[in-house]
Each structure stands twice: as C-alpha cells, then as structure tokens.
Amino acid sequence: MEGAKSYAWRRALIWVLIFLKVEGYFVDITYVEDAVAKGAVCLDGSPPAYHLSPGFGSGVNNWLVQIEGGGWCNNVTTCLARKVTRLGSSKQMVKQLAFSGILSNTPPFNPDFYNWNKVKVRYCDGSSFTGDVERVDPVTNLHYRGARVWLAIMEDLLARGMDKAENALLSGCSAGGLTSLLHCDNFRALLPTGANVKCLSDAGYFINVKDITGTAHIAAFFDDVVTTHGSAKNLPSFCTSRMAPGLCLFPQYLVQQIQTPLFILNAAYDSWQIKNILAPGVADPHGTWHDCKLDIKQCSSSQLQIMQGFRTEFLDVLAELGSSSSRGMFINSCYAHCQSEMQETWLASDSPMLQNTTIGKAVGDWFYGRSAFQKIDCPYPCDSTCHNRIFEDYSAA
C-alpha cells in the first residue's frame, strides 16, 4: 500500500514538473513600498506590486512589460467590493505568479522574448491606471490612484535597468490591453531615444456598441469609471477635447493618434465583450443568452446572427487602426478572451493560427520587422484552430 502511495506521489510530482517546464515557471512578487509616500497605492491603500523575471544572455537589455487585466470598478459599491480582492489590494495577491506564453523563458515556446526581462504588473486600481483623486473618503478609505501607480511602477523598473532598454514591448490582457494602448506613447517617452519600443494589446480593443436591447450600456459604464476615478485629466487630450471623457476609454477613438507601433490581438467574438457589452445580464433578465454566453456552440441561429453583426461592427471600428506596416493585427474568429498569456494559445503545436502562423510568431515577426502581419479571420465557425472558451455554469451550483 505504501509503495503504491509513493509511486502515485512520485508520478504526480513528475507531472507537476513537466507542467512547469512546458507551461510556465513561478516568479516572486515585488512590492513598490516607497510608492506609498507618493500616494501611489491600490484601492485599499496598499503598495502596488509586480513580478520580475530578470533577462539573461542577449536579452539582458530587453524589456517586456505585461499589464494584468481584470475589468474596472465604476462606483463606490463596486470599488469597495474590489478593494478586498487581489484586484484592489496587494495584500490579497499571491506571492508567486506563473509565467507562461509571452512570458515563458523557454526558447521553443517563446523564441523571440524568452530571455528578456519579463514583468507582470499587478492591477489593483480598477481604472486601467488612469485614476487620480487626491481626497480619500475616511468612511470608505478608497484610493483612486491608478495613474500614480503607473508612474511609480515605471520609475521603479527604470531604476532596475529599464532605462537602458534596447528593445521594449508594453503589452497587456483585457483591461491591461486597454492600458497598453492608453499608456503606449507615454511608455515610449520614458525609454532611451534609440530604443525599439512597441505596444501589444491583447483582448483590449473594447468597442462602443449598444447591447441587445439597444442601450448604450458599456458607454455609460465607462463614463462612470472615468467620473469615479477622476481619470479625465489623465486621458489623451486629443480625445477629451473632442468628446466626453468616458468615450476616451474606447480604443477606436484613440488609435489613430498613437505614434508608437501597435499590434492588436483580439478575437472577433471576444467572449468578455459578448458577455458584458453585447448581452450583459441587465439586458437579458430572462437568461435567454445564458447558455450561449457559456458556450458558443449552444447559441441559437438568431443569436449567432446577432454575434455576426457584432463582428461586423468590431471590424468596422478596427479600420481606425489604419494600414501602416507598423500596425500589426491578428483577429481570429474564436470565442476567446486573452490569448497571449497561455502557452496553448500563444505558441504550441495546436495553437490558433491565421494563414498557418501562430500568435507568437506573428507578434515576433512584427516586433523585429521580419514581416508585417495584418490578418483578419473568416467568420465563425470557419476556423478549426480556435480554442473556444467554455465557461462554468455557476448559476447551477
């Protein structure tokens, strides 16, 4: 019996080691303690944080800064709820984080960035690093300081060697992908003049579209985010001078003016946008879209028709990106959200592909100028390489 247990234990350990070798490795957290004195803090007043895996070999002066995603809070109630989680407090963050995909340190799984300095910036402000309200309500103790957090973390990284960067990529997933667009030119301005600096937005191209009831739900939500966090003064002035500040969280109103080279990685049927922008719960009180949002294969023909309309609107506003070769694009027809951080979708034997090119290769070729990449997939369900998300049905628990 003991022998069987020992064998089972060893077998489990072997599988864990294989997972870590192939899928990722763990990186310790770093708290930016001196940021607190500057008021650059998470929602609960705790210090901001990141995870840094040092570069080595030829990548010692190259920097990949990946911004964590996690939505936004748009009022006191939602920010209070967020404040007691890892998305509002560094006290709630795990001490180690697994790096994989674009953060992998293994050449076969990340050939262009494996030996770079790789940073995962933790997200704890709820505003995509745009907020800055001086006053702190003593009742809620909420700190809206995202813009200060951004600057404090950048200053810390510059002091750790990023000021000598030769190549740098600012990237992010979801709300972090939006951050990489909002701060793209600012990031470029912080680095040496001769450095090769570019930005990648993964699942961050949120579009201003009405929900299934014809209500401008996401526009109202973003307006509340900007108002709550005092973000207007930290959003691009070329946008806020022309339209309501809340609209300036939508990439479609920003990308034309961004000077730094960009790469947009997005699913045309982005699962977060389908669930929260197109068919949010408030627009579907009877749960007609419930099964469809969990699994695209459960969508009815009429629901798929509406989703095809969403794709059309997405591609229309994506045209604002322009056709410059400095702009990269990988738009697949998957039901997915964030494809750069997981090895299986970034670069693996069965990864999503467009014209026989994986996401990892497309981004690498674009960054180093080996070849331009601007590809848009055919409509669902044509792409057999997709890793379509299937979500758990927590309502049945």
Side-chain angles (χ1 to χ4, degrees), residues 98-112:
F99 276 24
S100 64
I102 194 172
L103 296 172
S104 172
N105 63 354
T106 306
F109 300 113
N110 193 26
D112 287 308

Side-chain angles (χ1 to χ4, degrees), residues 23 25 62 69 115 128 144 147 150 186 233 246 253 258 266 288 305 312 316 333 370 379 391:
E23 295 290 345
Y25 60 106
N62 298 335
N115 63 352
S128 283
Y144 302 113
W150 164 264
N186 171 268
K233 59 183 173 291
Y253 306 123
I258 295 175
N266 230 102
T288 306
Q305 186 175 0
T312 298
D316 284 346
S333 290
R370 294 190 292 257
F391 295 89

